[in-house]
Amino acid sequence: MMLHGRGLRIGLVTRDPVVASKVLDAGRSAGCSVVWVSSHDELPLHVDAVIVGRDASTSWHPRAVVRIEEGLSAECVILRAIAACRSRGIKRFEVSVDPGHRMGVVILLNGIVVASSVLTGVPELVDEIRWVSVCLNTDPIAIYVGSRPGSELRGVLSALKSSFPMSEVVLIPEGPEIGAPLPEDLKGDALDAYVIYLRAVSSTPED
């Protein structure tokens, strides 16, 4: 799964070089700029979020603070930090899927793409969504699945409904192009999944 954190500056407070190395690598892969320091006093003034290691005290900070927990992967920590920056409180966690031999998937928080994938099977799709749910401590409010004439979607829909019973699984028919700006960092099947999301929200009344 590709995490989308381009342009975010994140502070990392820990004295553990192994933990720091893993978080720095995960942040770099997500496009974030991660600044590693050993104490809160060394943090730069301008960061969008702060990740705090288990060996560091949790100090007050005007930005979002993400605590590293036992068993939490570095990628999950970075996703939590991105979520804290992008959503300022998760109100809508949504998933959009472009089904087929290659499944495009985008993960959105309050309408902002925070992760994307291109997968090859339904079990992978379920595992990816479940991973994000565990990282964010919540299930998606809705999962949108694109539909084309003649497409066979019973297996996809059944797996999603049984795996995420608290989520609304919505079939979105293929439609006209949506005249809206498209994220530059989405390509191919993942971009198709985002277009399905745009169709979904353009036909869904706001809460």
Side-chain angles (χ1 to χ4, degrees):
M1 175 168 286
M2 176 183 293
L3 305 182
H4 296 263
R6 186 172 61 178
L8 296 179
R9 194 178 191 209
I10 298 172
L12 169 62
V13 183
T14 181
R15 292 185 176 86
D16 188 330
V18 175
V19 169
S21 177
K22 291 178 180 178
V23 173
L24 288 168
D25 286 345
R28 192 176 302 113
S29 297
C32 303
S33 174
V34 181
V35 181
W36 173 28
V37 297
S38 58
S39 73
H40 289 273
D41 295 339
E42 300 172 43
L43 279 171
L45 291 176
H46 303 293
V47 292
D48 299 296
V50 178
I51 296 171
V52 180
R54 286 180 290 140
D55 61 331
S57 63
T58 302
S59 179
W60 178 88
H61 196 275
R63 300 301 183 189
V65 176
V66 175
R67 185 87 184 177
I68 296 177
E69 300 172 8
E70 183 71 35
L72 208 62
S73 70
E75 290 75 18
C76 192
V77 169
I78 289 295
L79 177 58
R80 286 188 176 185
I82 292 172
C85 297
R86 298 298 197 207
S87 64
R88 301 300 181 192
I90 300 169
K91 297 175 183 176
R92 291 189 69 87
F93 164 27
E94 298 164 291
V95 180
S96 186
V97 182
D98 178 37
H101 294 298
R102 287 164 52 90
M103 291 186 180
V105 183
V106 289
I107 307 295
L108 305 104
L109 298 180
N110 299 350
I112 300 173
V113 176
V114 297
S116 64
S117 286
V118 177
L119 309 172
T120 57
V122 176
E124 282 184 273
L125 173 63
V126 170
D127 288 345
E128 291 275 78
I129 298 173
R130 185 171 288 125
W131 180 80
V132 175
S133 295
V134 170
C135 285
L136 300 181
N137 292 319
T138 185
D139 281 345
I141 190 172
I143 303 173
Y144 308 112
V145 180
S147 171
R148 300 182 180 87
S151 57
E152 176 50 66
L153 299 174
R154 283 179 296 183
V156 176
L157 298 177
S158 176
L160 291 175
K161 289 178 180 179
S162 62
S163 300
F164 306 99
M166 303 302 292
S167 306
E168 183 181 14
V169 179
V170 186
L171 206 57
I172 305 298
E174 188 177 61
E177 291 297 321
I178 302 293
L182 301 177
E184 295 180 0
D185 50 355
L186 290 179
K187 306 293 181 185
D189 299 286
L191 181 59
D192 291 340
Y194 181 74
V195 172
I196 288 167
Y197 167 77
L198 293 179
R199 291 197 187 102
V201 296
S202 68
S203 60
T204 302
E206 292 291 331
D207 291 338

